[in-house]
Amino acid sequence: MAKGLLARKLGMTQVFNPDGTTAAVTVLEAGPCRVLGLRTPEKDGYAAARLVFGTAQRRRLTKPRAGEFRKAGIEPGLKVAEVRDFEAQVGQEITCAIFSEGELVDVAGTSKGKGFQGMVRRWGFGRGPETHGSMNVRKPGSIGATDAARVFKGLHMAGHMGAVRRTVQALRVLKVDPERNLLLVHGSVPGPRGGIVMVRGSVKQKAKK
Amino acid sequence: MNVIDQLEREQKKESVPELRPGDTVRVYAKVVEGTRERIQAFEGVVIRVAGSGLRRSLTVRRVTHGVGVERTFLVHSPRVEKIDVVRHGQVRQARLYYLRGRTGRAARLRERRDEGGGSRVAGRRARTEAHAQEGDEE
Protein backbone atom coordinates (compact mmCIF):
# COMPACT_ATOMS: atom_id res chain seq x y z
CA MET A 1 0.00 0.00 0.00
CA ALA A 2 1.27 3.39 -0.87
CA LYS A 3 1.50 5.89 1.93
CA GLY A 4 2.53 9.48 2.33
CA LEU A 5 2.01 12.75 4.11
CA LEU A 6 2.79 16.43 3.80
CA ALA A 7 5.64 17.95 5.75
CA ARG A 8 7.40 21.22 6.31
CA LYS A 9 11.14 21.39 5.74
CA LEU A 10 12.70 22.86 8.88
CA GLY A 11 16.33 22.74 7.84
CA MET A 12 19.38 20.56 7.98
CA THR A 13 21.71 19.37 10.70
CA GLN A 14 23.80 16.30 11.47
CA VAL A 15 23.35 13.20 13.56
CA PHE A 16 25.93 10.77 14.83
CA ASN A 17 25.78 7.20 13.59
CA PRO A 18 26.53 4.43 16.08
CA ASP A 19 29.94 3.95 14.42
CA GLY A 20 30.94 7.53 15.16
CA THR A 21 30.54 8.87 11.64
CA THR A 22 28.08 11.64 11.02
CA ALA A 23 25.15 11.81 8.65
CA ALA A 24 23.71 14.98 7.13
CA VAL A 25 19.98 14.99 7.72
CA THR A 26 17.02 17.12 6.77
CA VAL A 27 14.58 17.77 9.58
CA LEU A 28 10.95 17.62 8.49
CA GLU A 29 7.92 18.60 10.50
CA ALA A 30 5.89 15.71 9.16
CA GLY A 31 2.19 15.94 9.70
CA PRO A 32 -0.12 15.53 11.33
CA CYS A 33 -2.23 15.45 8.19
CA ARG A 34 -5.98 15.11 8.09
CA VAL A 35 -7.81 13.14 5.44
CA LEU A 36 -10.11 15.48 3.56
CA GLY A 37 -11.56 12.98 1.19
CA LEU A 38 -11.03 9.99 -1.00
CA ARG A 39 -10.81 9.43 -4.70
CA THR A 40 -12.38 6.18 -5.78
CA PRO A 41 -11.99 4.20 -8.99
CA GLU A 42 -15.78 4.16 -9.44
CA LYS A 43 -16.19 7.90 -9.24
CA ASP A 44 -12.84 9.36 -10.22
CA GLY A 45 -11.15 6.56 -12.13
CA TYR A 46 -8.32 6.18 -9.62
CA ALA A 47 -7.83 5.65 -5.89
CA ALA A 48 -6.20 8.26 -3.70
CA ALA A 49 -6.47 9.97 -0.35
CA ARG A 50 -6.67 13.75 -0.15
CA LEU A 51 -4.52 15.03 2.70
CA VAL A 52 -4.54 18.39 4.46
CA PHE A 53 -1.57 19.87 6.29
CA GLY A 54 -1.19 22.88 8.56
CA THR A 55 -3.73 25.45 9.55
CA ALA A 56 -5.36 28.18 7.51
CA GLN A 57 -7.50 31.12 8.42
CA ARG A 58 -11.06 30.55 7.35
CA ARG A 59 -11.27 33.87 5.53
CA ARG A 60 -8.27 32.95 3.39
CA LEU A 61 -10.06 29.95 1.86
CA THR A 62 -11.89 29.95 -1.41
CA LYS A 63 -15.58 29.10 -1.06
CA PRO A 64 -15.35 25.73 -2.85
CA ARG A 65 -12.40 24.73 -0.63
CA ALA A 66 -14.20 25.91 2.51
CA GLY A 67 -17.16 23.79 1.48
CA GLU A 68 -14.97 20.72 1.17
CA PHE A 69 -13.64 21.22 4.67
CA ARG A 70 -17.13 21.76 6.07
CA LYS A 71 -18.40 18.59 4.41
CA ALA A 72 -15.54 16.48 5.73
CA GLY A 73 -15.93 18.08 9.15
CA ILE A 74 -12.24 18.86 9.58
CA GLU A 75 -10.17 21.94 10.38
CA PRO A 76 -9.20 23.92 7.29
CA GLY A 77 -5.57 23.54 6.29
CA LEU A 78 -2.82 25.26 4.38
CA LYS A 79 -2.08 22.69 1.75
CA VAL A 80 -4.09 19.91 0.16
CA ALA A 81 -2.46 17.11 -1.81
CA GLU A 82 -3.37 13.64 -2.99
CA VAL A 83 -1.54 10.41 -2.34
CA ARG A 84 -2.39 7.68 -4.80
CA ASP A 85 -3.52 4.26 -3.57
CA PHE A 86 -3.36 5.34 0.05
CA GLU A 87 -6.03 3.61 2.09
CA ALA A 88 -7.44 5.93 4.71
CA GLN A 89 -10.73 7.10 6.21
CA VAL A 90 -12.09 10.59 5.88
CA GLY A 91 -11.26 12.63 8.99
CA GLN A 92 -8.49 10.26 9.99
CA GLU A 93 -5.28 11.79 11.28
CA ILE A 94 -2.04 10.71 9.60
CA THR A 95 1.15 11.15 11.61
CA CYS A 96 4.81 10.51 10.92
CA ALA A 97 4.37 7.16 12.72
CA ILE A 98 3.37 5.67 9.36
CA PHE A 99 7.11 5.63 8.63
CA SER A 100 9.66 3.61 10.53
CA GLU A 101 13.36 4.12 11.01
CA GLY A 102 15.52 2.63 8.29
CA GLU A 103 12.77 2.84 5.69
CA LEU A 104 13.29 4.54 2.32
CA VAL A 105 11.14 7.49 1.30
CA ASP A 106 10.74 9.77 -1.71
CA VAL A 107 10.43 13.48 -1.00
CA ALA A 108 8.88 15.84 -3.53
CA GLY A 109 8.72 19.59 -3.38
CA THR A 110 9.31 22.81 -5.24
CA SER A 111 13.02 23.50 -5.62
CA LYS A 112 14.55 26.87 -4.76
CA GLY A 113 14.18 29.41 -7.56
CA LYS A 114 17.44 30.49 -9.14
CA GLY A 115 16.06 33.16 -11.47
CA PHE A 116 17.29 33.63 -15.04
CA GLN A 117 20.53 31.74 -15.45
CA GLY A 118 23.00 31.26 -18.27
CA MET A 119 23.98 27.92 -19.79
CA VAL A 120 27.03 27.55 -17.61
CA ARG A 121 25.00 27.46 -14.40
CA ARG A 122 21.80 26.01 -15.80
CA TRP A 123 23.16 23.19 -17.94
CA GLY A 124 26.75 22.82 -16.83
CA PHE A 125 28.26 24.10 -20.08
CA GLY A 126 31.96 24.83 -20.12
CA ARG A 127 33.13 28.36 -20.64
CA GLY A 128 35.54 29.95 -23.08
CA PRO A 129 38.97 31.35 -22.29
CA GLU A 130 38.98 34.68 -20.47
CA THR A 131 42.19 35.94 -22.07
CA HIS A 132 44.07 35.81 -25.39
CA GLY A 133 41.53 38.08 -27.05
CA SER A 134 38.63 35.72 -26.45
CA MET A 135 35.27 37.39 -26.60
CA ASN A 136 33.46 34.20 -25.66
CA VAL A 137 33.45 33.66 -21.91
CA ARG A 138 29.94 32.45 -21.04
CA LYS A 139 28.30 32.64 -24.45
CA PRO A 140 26.23 29.75 -25.84
CA GLY A 141 28.25 29.07 -29.01
CA SER A 142 26.56 27.30 -31.88
CA ILE A 143 22.89 26.46 -31.55
CA GLY A 144 22.77 24.06 -34.48
CA ALA A 145 23.66 23.28 -38.08
CA THR A 146 22.79 25.65 -40.93
CA ASP A 147 21.40 22.69 -42.82
CA ALA A 148 18.52 22.25 -40.38
CA ALA A 149 17.47 25.83 -41.06
CA ARG A 150 15.86 25.93 -37.63
CA VAL A 151 16.64 25.42 -33.96
CA PHE A 152 15.58 22.10 -32.52
CA LYS A 153 13.14 21.98 -29.67
CA GLY A 154 14.54 21.40 -26.21
CA LEU A 155 17.94 22.86 -27.04
CA HIS A 156 19.75 23.88 -23.85
CA MET A 157 19.68 27.64 -23.56
CA ALA A 158 19.68 30.31 -20.88
CA GLY A 159 16.45 30.80 -19.00
CA HIS A 160 14.60 30.43 -15.76
CA MET A 161 16.08 27.87 -13.42
CA GLY A 162 14.65 26.23 -10.31
CA ALA A 163 11.24 26.66 -8.68
CA VAL A 164 9.96 23.47 -10.27
CA ARG A 165 8.67 20.32 -8.62
CA ARG A 166 11.42 17.83 -7.97
CA THR A 167 11.42 14.45 -6.30
CA VAL A 168 14.40 13.02 -4.48
CA GLN A 169 14.11 9.26 -4.33
CA ALA A 170 15.18 6.68 -1.79
CA LEU A 171 16.17 8.81 1.19
CA ARG A 172 16.63 6.78 4.34
CA VAL A 173 14.56 7.71 7.37
CA LEU A 174 17.04 7.98 10.22
CA LYS A 175 14.71 9.02 12.98
CA VAL A 176 10.99 9.21 13.63
CA ASP A 177 9.73 11.31 16.53
CA PRO A 178 5.94 10.99 16.78
CA GLU A 179 5.79 13.23 19.86
CA ARG A 180 7.22 16.23 18.05
CA ASN A 181 6.03 15.12 14.60
CA LEU A 182 9.58 15.03 13.33
CA LEU A 183 11.10 12.98 10.56
CA LEU A 184 14.86 13.00 9.98
CA VAL A 185 15.83 11.87 6.51
CA HIS A 186 19.35 11.28 5.28
CA GLY A 187 20.40 13.84 2.71
CA SER A 188 18.86 16.91 1.18
CA VAL A 189 15.32 17.68 0.11
CA PRO A 190 14.07 20.16 -2.53
CA GLY A 191 13.03 23.65 -1.53
CA PRO A 192 13.78 26.33 1.02
CA ARG A 193 13.40 26.04 4.78
CA GLY A 194 9.72 26.36 5.56
CA GLY A 195 8.79 24.86 2.22
CA ILE A 196 6.09 22.20 2.09
CA VAL A 197 7.08 18.82 0.72
CA MET A 198 5.35 15.51 0.12
CA VAL A 199 6.93 12.48 1.81
CA ARG A 200 5.93 9.12 0.37
CA GLY A 201 7.05 5.55 0.76
CA SER A 202 9.80 5.01 -1.81
CA VAL A 203 9.09 3.46 -5.18
CA LYS A 204 12.64 2.15 -5.06
CA GLN A 205 13.71 -1.09 -3.45
CA LYS A 206 12.66 -1.48 0.16
CA ALA A 207 15.31 -0.75 2.73
CA LYS A 208 17.26 -3.67 4.11
CA LYS A 209 17.16 -3.48 7.86
CA MET B 1 12.84 27.03 20.67
CA ASN B 2 14.13 26.25 17.24
CA VAL B 3 13.73 22.52 16.58
CA ILE B 4 17.13 22.16 14.96
CA ASP B 5 18.92 23.80 17.89
CA GLN B 6 16.97 21.51 20.15
CA LEU B 7 17.99 18.39 18.21
CA GLU B 8 21.61 19.47 18.31
CA ARG B 9 21.43 20.18 22.02
CA GLU B 10 20.06 16.69 22.62
CA GLN B 11 23.06 15.14 20.93
CA LYS B 12 25.62 17.20 22.79
CA LYS B 13 27.40 15.76 25.78
CA GLU B 14 26.40 17.16 29.11
CA SER B 15 29.82 18.22 30.20
CA VAL B 16 32.95 18.73 28.20
CA PRO B 17 35.98 20.35 29.81
CA GLU B 18 37.08 23.71 28.54
CA LEU B 19 39.48 22.94 25.71
CA ARG B 20 41.91 25.33 24.13
CA PRO B 21 44.79 25.06 21.70
CA GLY B 22 47.98 24.30 23.57
CA ASP B 23 46.30 22.15 26.19
CA THR B 24 47.62 18.65 26.68
CA VAL B 25 44.67 16.28 26.70
CA ARG B 26 43.95 12.61 27.06
CA VAL B 27 41.14 11.44 24.78
CA TYR B 28 39.48 8.13 25.56
CA ALA B 29 38.10 6.87 22.26
CA LYS B 30 36.33 3.62 21.52
CA VAL B 31 38.06 1.48 18.94
CA VAL B 32 36.78 -1.67 17.29
CA GLU B 33 39.26 -4.51 17.10
CA GLY B 34 37.86 -7.37 15.12
CA THR B 35 34.66 -8.08 16.94
CA ARG B 36 35.28 -6.49 20.29
CA GLU B 37 35.34 -2.92 21.30
CA ARG B 38 37.74 -1.31 23.73
CA ILE B 39 38.70 2.11 24.89
CA GLN B 40 41.97 3.55 23.76
CA ALA B 41 43.53 6.67 25.21
CA PHE B 42 45.36 9.15 23.02
CA GLU B 43 47.38 11.82 24.75
CA GLY B 44 48.86 14.84 23.08
CA VAL B 45 48.71 18.57 22.47
CA VAL B 46 45.60 20.20 21.04
CA ILE B 47 46.84 21.99 17.95
CA ARG B 48 43.45 23.01 16.63
CA VAL B 49 39.91 23.45 17.87
CA ALA B 50 37.56 23.67 14.90
CA GLY B 51 33.85 24.20 14.62
CA SER B 52 31.43 24.99 17.38
CA GLY B 53 28.48 23.47 19.13
CA LEU B 54 27.71 19.93 18.09
CA ARG B 55 30.30 19.98 15.33
CA ARG B 56 33.26 21.02 17.49
CA SER B 57 36.38 18.99 16.83
CA LEU B 58 39.88 18.73 18.25
CA THR B 59 43.09 17.87 16.49
CA VAL B 60 45.51 16.27 18.92
CA ARG B 61 49.18 15.83 18.10
CA ARG B 62 51.69 13.58 19.75
CA VAL B 63 55.08 12.28 18.77
CA THR B 64 55.66 8.56 19.25
CA HIS B 65 58.86 6.77 18.26
CA GLY B 66 59.97 9.88 16.44
CA VAL B 67 56.84 9.92 14.30
CA GLY B 68 54.29 12.68 14.64
CA VAL B 69 50.71 11.43 14.89
CA GLU B 70 47.71 13.71 14.64
CA ARG B 71 44.18 12.59 15.26
CA THR B 72 41.02 14.60 14.94
CA PHE B 73 38.13 13.85 17.25
CA LEU B 74 34.60 15.14 17.19
CA VAL B 75 34.10 16.31 20.75
CA HIS B 76 30.47 15.21 20.91
CA SER B 77 30.91 11.92 19.06
CA PRO B 78 29.54 8.87 20.86
CA ARG B 79 32.90 7.20 20.11
CA VAL B 80 34.70 9.65 22.34
CA GLU B 81 34.16 8.39 25.85
CA LYS B 82 35.90 11.08 27.84
CA ILE B 83 38.38 13.92 27.47
CA ASP B 84 40.74 14.82 30.29
CA VAL B 85 42.81 17.96 30.32
CA VAL B 86 46.25 17.05 31.60
CA ARG B 87 47.78 20.52 31.52
CA HIS B 88 47.14 23.91 30.03
CA GLY B 89 49.74 25.34 27.71
CA GLN B 90 50.43 29.02 27.18
CA VAL B 91 50.14 29.78 23.46
CA ARG B 92 49.55 32.88 21.36
CA GLN B 93 48.18 31.25 18.22
CA ALA B 94 44.85 29.55 17.64
CA ARG B 95 46.35 26.97 15.28
CA LEU B 96 49.58 25.43 16.45
CA TYR B 97 50.81 24.12 13.11
CA TYR B 98 54.26 25.48 13.89
CA LEU B 99 54.73 22.58 16.29
CA ARG B 100 54.95 20.22 13.32
CA GLY B 101 58.33 21.63 12.38
CA ARG B 102 59.69 21.37 15.89
CA THR B 103 60.99 18.49 17.94
CA GLY B 104 62.23 17.98 21.47
CA ARG B 105 62.64 21.02 23.68
CA ALA B 106 61.53 23.44 20.98
CA ALA B 107 58.14 21.75 20.78
CA ARG B 108 57.41 22.30 24.45
CA LEU B 109 54.83 24.80 25.59
CA ARG B 110 54.95 26.89 28.71
CA GLU B 111 52.26 26.11 31.25
CA ARG B 112 49.50 28.65 31.46
CA ARG B 113 49.41 30.65 34.64
CA ASP B 114 45.75 30.76 35.37
CA GLU B 115 44.51 34.04 36.54
CA GLY B 116 40.77 34.41 36.65
CA GLY B 117 39.67 30.81 36.35
CA GLY B 118 40.91 29.99 32.89
CA SER B 119 38.94 32.18 30.53
CA ARG B 120 41.13 34.47 28.50
CA VAL B 121 39.00 37.54 29.07
CA ALA B 122 38.83 36.93 32.79
CA GLY B 123 42.58 36.36 32.85
CA ARG B 124 43.26 39.63 31.08
CA ARG B 125 40.90 41.44 33.40
CA ALA B 126 42.64 39.96 36.43
CA ARG B 127 46.02 41.08 35.13
CA THR B 128 44.76 44.57 34.36
CA GLU B 129 43.33 44.90 37.84
CA ALA B 130 46.57 43.69 39.37
CA HIS B 131 48.36 46.34 37.33
CA ALA B 132 45.98 49.05 38.42
CA GLN B 133 46.51 48.17 42.06
CA GLU B 134 50.26 48.36 41.63
CA GLY B 135 49.77 51.80 40.11
CA ASP B 136 47.71 52.91 43.11
CA GLU B 137 50.40 51.96 45.52
CA GLU B 138 53.02 53.99 43.76
Side-chain angles (χ1 to χ4, degrees):
Chain A
M1 184 189 82
K3 59 186 176 180
L5 51 67
L6 289 161
R8 179 176 281 117
K9 175 173 167 179
L10 295 179
M12 293 189 73
T13 181
Q14 64 157 55
V15 292
F16 285 106
N17 295 323
D19 66 355
T21 57
T22 58
V25 292
T26 305
V27 183
L28 300 172
E29 183 191 342
C33 290
R34 305 171 296 280
V35 179
L36 176 64
L38 300 174
R39 298 286 190 220
T40 56
E42 299 79 51
K43 206 171 155 230
D44 309 291
Y46 63 97
R50 286 163 64 68
L51 303 181
V52 185
F53 177 67
T55 53
Q57 287 177 306
R58 223 162 276 265
R59 67 189 174 87
R60 295 272 179 217
L61 300 169
T62 61
K63 291 225 168 112
R65 190 44 50 94
E68 266 193 295
F69 286 119
R70 199 172 333 105
K71 215 168 134 193
I74 60 172
E75 276 294 296
L78 194 63
K79 175 87 182 167
V80 179
E82 294 185 4
V83 180
R84 285 251 183 162
D85 300 318
F86 186 22
E87 286 157 30
Q89 276 86 50
V90 175
Q92 188 190 341
E93 191 155 274
I94 313 278
T95 67
C96 62
I98 60 171
F99 295 111
S100 56
E101 283 165 25
E103 205 177 335
L104 296 181
V105 292
D106 294 344
V107 181
T110 306
S111 63
K112 281 185 188 174
K114 309 290 182 196
F116 190 100
Q117 294 297 330
M119 286 81 28
V120 176
R121 173 109 192 259
R122 193 174 181 213
W123 300 108
F125 282 17
R127 60 159 181 71
E130 284 179 325
T131 54
H132 299 295
S134 169
M135 305 281 275
N136 166 29
V137 179
R138 297 175 75 96
K139 285 179 179 178
S142 167
I143 56 168
T146 53
D147 193 34
R150 65 191 180 91
V151 174
F152 294 107
K153 279 189 174 177
L155 191 79
H156 290 355
M157 285 195 184
H160 193 270
M161 181 180 169
V164 289
R165 186 180 166 87
R166 285 280 175 260
T167 306
V168 181
Q169 293 185 335
L171 298 176
R172 180 161 270 115
V173 175
L174 291 185
K175 201 171 171 215
V176 180
D177 188 338
E179 273 162 41
R180 289 183 289 181
N181 293 311
L182 295 181
L183 213 52
L184 269 61
V185 297
H186 191 182
S188 58
V189 153
R193 285 190 296 271
I196 293 184
V197 294
M198 166 67 83
V199 186
R200 276 174 302 195
S202 183
V203 297
K204 292 277 169 100
Q205 201 183 327
K206 288 282 169 275
K208 287 161 213 125
K209 274 273 167 86
Chain B
M1 193 172 66
N2 180 326
V3 178
I4 291 185
D5 289 344
Q6 209 173 324
L7 284 169
E8 291 190 355
R9 197 159 302 180
E10 283 164 24
Q11 289 188 74
K12 275 166 81 168
K13 287 178 183 162
E14 274 166 29
S15 72
V16 172
E18 196 198 319
L19 300 158
R20 283 208 255 152
D23 292 351
T24 302
V25 294
R26 193 173 248 279
V27 182
Y28 296 84
K30 286 182 195 159
V31 287
V32 178
E33 275 178 348
T35 52
R36 44 180 231 105
E37 209 178 60
R38 63 181 194 86
I39 289 172
Q40 191 183 52
F42 186 85
E43 190 177 320
V45 179
V46 177
I47 63 164
R48 166 174 60 187
V49 178
S52 62
L54 183 62
R55 284 168 285 274
R56 189 146 65 115
S57 69
L58 291 182
T59 301
V60 182
R61 176 182 169 85
R62 71 176 299 185
V63 179
T64 40
H65 308 295
V67 182
V69 180
E70 287 176 14
R71 283 189 70 181
T72 303
F73 300 96
L74 282 161
V75 173
H76 294 283
S77 166
R79 311 289 297 178
V80 172
E81 193 72 9
K82 190 171 70 156
I83 302 174
D84 284 342
V85 179
V86 180
R87 65 189 282 264
H88 296 285
Q90 172 74 52
V91 291
R92 304 177 77 161
Q93 259 67 37
R95 304 279 151 104
L96 309 180
Y97 301 141
Y98 66 86
L99 290 179
R100 289 172 179 165
R102 296 192 185 183
T103 49
R105 280 182 65 87
R108 291 191 317 170
L109 298 172
R110 259 190 308 141
E111 185 130 18
R112 197 164 75 214
R113 297 198 318 267
D114 259 344
E115 291 164 288
S119 119
R120 194 177 306 181
V121 178
R124 195 180 301 138
R125 196 177 303 131
R127 279 190 292 276
T128 322
E129 277 164 19
H131 236 78
Q133 276 171 9
E134 276 171 39
D136 288 344
E137 283 161 24
E138 277 165 21

